[in-house]
Amino acid sequence: MPDVDLLLHSATQLCVAPPDHGGPQRGEALGDLGLIEDGALALKDGRVLAAGTTADLRARFSAARELDCAGKVLCPGFVDPHTHLIWMGDRAVEFERRIAGATYMEIMAAGGGIMSTVRATRGASVEALVAEARPRLDRMLAHGATTVEVKTGYGLETRAELQQLEAIVALDRSHPVTLVPTFLGAHAIPAEYQGRADAYVDLVVQEMLPAVAEKARELHLPTLPFCDVFCEEGAFDLAQSRRILEAARALGFPLKIHVDEFKSLGGTSLAVELGALSADHLVTTPPEELALLGKAQTVAVALPCTPFGLGHHEYTPARALLAEGAALALASDCNPGTAWNESMPFVMALACRTLRLTPGQVLVAATLNAAFALGMGDRVGSLAPGYAADVLVLDVPDYRHLGYRFGANPVATVLKAGRIVVDAGGVYGAA
Ligand code: NIG
Ligand code: FE
């Protein structure tokens, strides 16, 4: 009988979240959990060797170690494909002003918003950036996130943007969570370029992108980071977004784009045209552009914590996206301005109510489909054989408690690449 490193067994339910013909679960097909009752997982060398019933796997494998999951649910580790995890300070005062009636874009136009976090973040050392972000990442992990995308974008000058990239890489290399870096030099027009947005775009295209590519080589990253742009009135218009993304693509950067968060500028069409891996936010996207996502490889990433965090009532039209056949994913958008949320279970609970998705749909959108938004859907986000053994043991009797319940953490145990990194809420050592 073949030996395995670890056998997880006797789970009330095992949610495999299988890929659909090697791809994300698109459209109305979203929500196939590949559910196995009395489920078990055989793990070897950091990967899933087999998923099945307890009886089936016990008959097939002998295990060096076992973990009894009776009364619990097993599912893939959550993948959070859109965060701004690296920042200093906070914006609690702005939050209070927004609650009193000021809008997010008004505060930004007056020099606050993203720029106020840039002022707090620019001067920080790589060590300080890592030290500030690490406890947030610990809490994300404790809430089940095992792969997290992280953007730069609070530097907005070459040196500070590079430092933020270095901080993301340093954190990735010293923490169990896999971090996926994104360069977001086009997050806002910095104060010193007010009224000269095109000159800032020149800087991004001519200086920052080549410098980021060089830094990625220096840091021995296996691929270039993503390049992202905040395409929005008051940030980067469609022509500026196109210039940056086309220049990035020419250098080999894979693309992402913030679109239609407040006002639709045509960014979704641009994302599809340029073959971006994801288009994110999609709150005000017109129907004809939602339809484009139905036919594209570009994953639609909904961020329900953002309207919620802003106290808005308009959310991504997720059901319309599914009706069009789009691949829908969920992310936290964790950032100090619109959505300081570190919990994917909260994202999922919010998505059930505001996006009208079922618990099965939000679970796949926060695992398999989120991995596809990062170009990693062939190796993380599912518990099918061959996938990374990033596994959650949920202290709930049925997967539907994800979504149904909110405000407490359902995650009992987290395994990363087959190793227990969180047990009963306590975070164990580094990777
Ligand atoms: O995704 N929209 C741009 N970026 C963030 C907000 C960042 C901030 O306010 O600091 C977002 O909502
Ligand atoms: Fe964002």
Side-chain angles (χ1 to χ4, degrees):
M1 238 188 332
D3 286 332
V4 295
D5 301 330
L6 182 61
L7 185 75
L8 303 174
H9 64 87
S10 309
T12 308
Q13 297 169 334
L14 161 62
C15 305
V16 174
D20 188 359
H21 299 90
Q25 295 184 11
R26 302 188 68 101
E28 310 292 358
L30 178 65
D32 173 13
L33 294 176
L35 198 75
I36 300 170
E37 290 182 356
D38 193 10
L41 276 176
L43 309 182
K44 191 168 174 65
D45 299 332
R47 292 179 180 279
V48 177
L49 188 64
T53 62
T54 301
D56 169 29
L57 265 53
R58 276 206 193 288
R60 287 168 55 197
F61 302 104
S62 73
R65 278 177 66 208
E66 296 197 350
L67 193 64
D68 186 349
C69 301
K72 302 198 169 67
V73 170
L74 293 172
C75 74
F78 302 132
V79 177
D80 187 347
H82 182 142
T83 85
H84 305 254
L85 186 71
I86 300 284
W87 78 80
M88 303 296 283
D90 66 67
R91 308 232 291 274
V93 172
E94 282 183 10
F95 170 69
E96 195 174 51
R97 283 176 56 203
R98 279 197 283 105
I99 293 302
T103 72
Y104 177 75
M105 291 313 273
E106 274 166 17
I107 291 172
M108 181 157 159
I114 292 171
M115 231 13 244
S116 90
T117 299
V118 168
R119 284 189 292 273
T121 309
R122 257 183 185 168
S125 66
V126 173
E127 295 69 32
L129 294 171
V130 169
E132 187 89 350
R134 187 182 299 281
R136 293 196 277 266
L137 189 59
D138 289 344
R139 291 188 292 267
M140 285 179 162
L141 174 63
H143 286 81
T146 49
T147 301
V148 172
E149 184 262 13
V150 185
K151 301 172 197 298
T152 70
Y154 294 119
L156 310 185
E157 61 186 18
T158 307
R159 185 198 52 84
E161 285 293 313
L162 294 178
Q163 280 195 318
Q164 288 173 31
L165 176 61
E166 274 187 58
I168 296 166
V169 173
L171 197 51
D172 171 58
R173 289 178 179 167
S174 61
H175 196 282
V177 173
T178 300
L179 298 189
V180 180
T182 294
F183 165 63
L184 180 59
H187 196 190
I189 319 282
E192 58 278 17
Y193 280 87
Q194 271 319 318
R196 298 189 299 129
D198 285 320
Y200 183 66
V201 173
D202 289 341
L203 181 77
V204 172
V205 167
Q206 290 161 15
E207 186 175 294
M208 288 190 191
L209 282 171
V212 169
E214 177 58 33
K215 179 62 79 181
R217 277 187 289 274
E218 201 182 289
L219 294 169
H220 305 292
L221 299 189
T223 58
L224 285 179
F226 285 96
C227 177
D228 193 350
V229 173
F230 185 20
C231 180
E232 185 65 47
E233 202 174 81
F236 297 86
D237 67 22
L238 192 64
Q240 292 161 343
S241 301
R242 174 185 287 281
R243 250 191 90 201
I244 294 165
L245 294 173
E246 283 184 345
R249 191 175 64 163
L251 290 172
F253 285 83
L255 308 179
K256 290 186 162 287
I257 177 165
H258 284 66
V259 293
D260 311 331
E261 182 174 353
F262 303 109
K263 206 168 162 151
S264 166
L265 302 183
T268 300
S269 304
L270 182 66
V272 171
E273 180 197 326
L274 297 181
L277 257 90
S278 73
D280 302 36
H281 285 293
L282 302 162
V283 175
T284 57
T285 314
E288 56 283 10
E289 288 191 270
L290 296 179
L292 288 178
L293 288 168
K295 284 160 206 69
Q297 293 304 308
T298 305
V299 176
V301 178
L303 308 159
C305 287
T306 311
F308 177 79
L310 291 167
H312 292 179
H313 301 286
E314 198 183 355
Y315 286 83
T316 304
R319 296 270 281 263
L321 279 164
L322 295 184
E324 294 290 356
L328 181 74
L330 287 168
S332 70
D333 198 15
C334 182
N335 76 78
T338 58
W340 189 333
N341 167 50
E342 299 158 353
S343 165
M344 285 300 282
F346 180 73
V347 174
M348 294 155 80
L350 197 57
C352 285
R353 290 159 183 79
T354 59
L355 275 57
R356 313 299 302 174
L357 299 173
T358 65
Q361 290 176 323
V362 297
L363 181 47
V364 175
T367 52
L368 178 77
N369 282 11
F372 275 101
L374 297 176
M376 301 170 79
D378 60 343
R379 49 196 189 277
V380 298
S382 171
L383 295 176
Y387 276 77
D390 297 351
V391 188
L392 306 182
V393 185
L394 303 175
D395 193 9
V396 295
D398 184 294
Y399 75 85
R400 296 172 188 84
H401 285 235
L402 277 175
Y404 164 48
R405 289 160 68 172
F406 53 94
N409 186 5
V411 176
T413 304
V414 182
L415 289 94
K416 178 70 185 172
R419 206 172 64 89
I420 293 177
V421 290
V422 173
D423 204 7
V427 178
Y428 290 152

